[in-house]
Amino acid sequence: MDGRIIDDAIAYARGIFADDYSGHDFFHTLRVYKMATVLAEREGAEVLTIQLAALLHDVDDVKLSPETHAGKDRAVRFLSGHGVPGETIAEICGIIEGVSFVGTDSVAPESLEGKCVQDADRLDAMGAVGIARAFAYGGSRGRAMYDPDIPFREAMNAEEYRSSRSTTVNHFYEKLLRLRALMNTDAARAIAEARDAYMRSYLEEFFAEWEGLR
């Protein structure tokens, strides 16, 4: 395997997401990579596999690159070009496939490595950064910030979740506030606790300001 593979994967992700402003930009990938590495070290998982899966987890995302999503074409080309064995490529692609939150169709990874990457990705949707990302993504999709006449929806499957035209504030209730309970690792649960509390505090302030109470 190429000894420069991590540096090359970082550069590869930077090139793909250079012009993304939806919250799935290069720095999202970099944060997931850093957090996944921390979780791997705390949980005793295989670090290099986790790092590669984290760095490539969005390059074939169905929302961003639907034409390559099914076969994970970009990830496979990159890994193959760096001499990664076929069984390791399959493992990394399997981790990537299970990362995303898709409502009631979300899956819990079987491997510790998959759990660390999924937790890292979900942690980046929480807390102060998660709030910023939610509004960035909503704006990029033409969603209202909030509309009290649009109720949030519960228990959506993958198709319903991806096609939902909800508001950004509703997204907190449809996804973000559900993530703490879905963490796989002890290390991630401890981090998620504080980030969840921050989001709830933010929403309390948001609704108070919305109603002109402070």
Side-chain angles (χ1 to χ4, degrees), residues 76-96:
V76 170
R77 281 198 302 270
F78 176 86
L79 295 167
S80 298
H82 285 75
V84 178
E87 60 270 22
T88 304
I89 293 176
E91 179 184 4
I92 291 170
C93 288
I95 291 172
I96 293 170

Side-chain angles (χ1 to χ4, degrees), residues 38-57:
V38 169
L39 297 179
E41 292 169 346
R42 292 181 183 177
E43 296 289 335
E46 207 289 305
V47 175
L48 182 57
T49 298
I50 282 173
Q51 290 177 328
L52 289 171
L55 288 169
L56 299 172
H57 83 279

Side-chain angles (χ1 to χ4, degrees), residues 14-138:
R14 186 190 295 272
I16 288 176
F17 299 115
D19 297 320
D20 188 282
Y21 302 99
S22 73
H24 289 85
D25 57 3
F26 166 69
F27 292 106
H28 162 67
T29 292
L30 198 60
R31 289 190 302 271
V32 173
Y33 159 71
K34 291 177 179 178
M35 179 58 71
T37 300
V38 169
L39 297 179
E41 292 169 346
R42 292 181 183 177
E43 296 289 335
E46 207 289 305
V47 175
L48 182 57
T49 298
I50 282 173
Q51 290 177 328
L52 289 171
L55 288 169
L56 299 172
H57 83 279
D58 266 348
V59 299
D60 296 296
D61 185 272
V62 68
K63 299 184 296 295
L64 309 173
S65 184
E67 69 279 5
T68 70
H69 171 71
K72 304 292 179 285
D73 300 344
R74 287 174 169 174
V76 170
R77 281 198 302 270
F78 176 86
L79 295 167
S80 298
H82 285 75
V84 178
E87 60 270 22
T88 304
I89 293 176
E91 179 184 4
I92 291 170
C93 288
I95 291 172
I96 293 170
E97 180 64 27
V99 164
S100 294
F101 177 89
V102 284
T104 57
D105 290 327
S106 300
V107 298
E110 294 183 2
S111 71
L112 179 57
E113 289 71 27
K115 290 175 181 178
C116 288
V117 177
Q118 187 184 75
D119 282 355
D121 185 55
R122 289 177 173 179
L123 283 170
D124 203 55
M126 302 179 70
V129 168
I131 291 170
R133 289 185 65 217
F135 285 103
Y137 185 80

Side-chain angles (χ1 to χ4, degrees), residues 121-204:
D121 185 55
R122 289 177 173 179
L123 283 170
D124 203 55
M126 302 179 70
V129 168
I131 291 170
R133 289 185 65 217
F135 285 103
Y137 185 80
S140 76
R141 294 299 187 270
R143 294 178 179 174
M145 181 172 66
Y146 177 58
D147 185 337
D149 293 328
I150 301 176
F152 70 85
R153 300 170 65 188
E154 296 187 83
M156 289 184 284
N157 61 28
E159 182 178 351
E160 292 168 332
Y161 177 75
R162 286 174 174 153
S163 63
S164 173
R165 294 293 297 171
S166 193
T167 70
T168 296
V169 168
N170 282 358
H171 184 63
F172 283 77
Y173 299 95
E174 294 166 350
K175 174 184 176 181
L176 306 188
L177 296 177
R178 300 174 184 269
L179 295 178
R180 180 182 62 172
L182 297 176
M183 293 295 154
N184 301 290
T185 63
D186 290 339
R189 289 187 193 100
I191 298 168
E193 192 77 25
R195 295 192 184 194
D196 181 84
Y198 186 89
M199 292 191 298
R200 293 178 189 275
S201 174
Y202 170 81
L203 287 171
E204 180 182 349

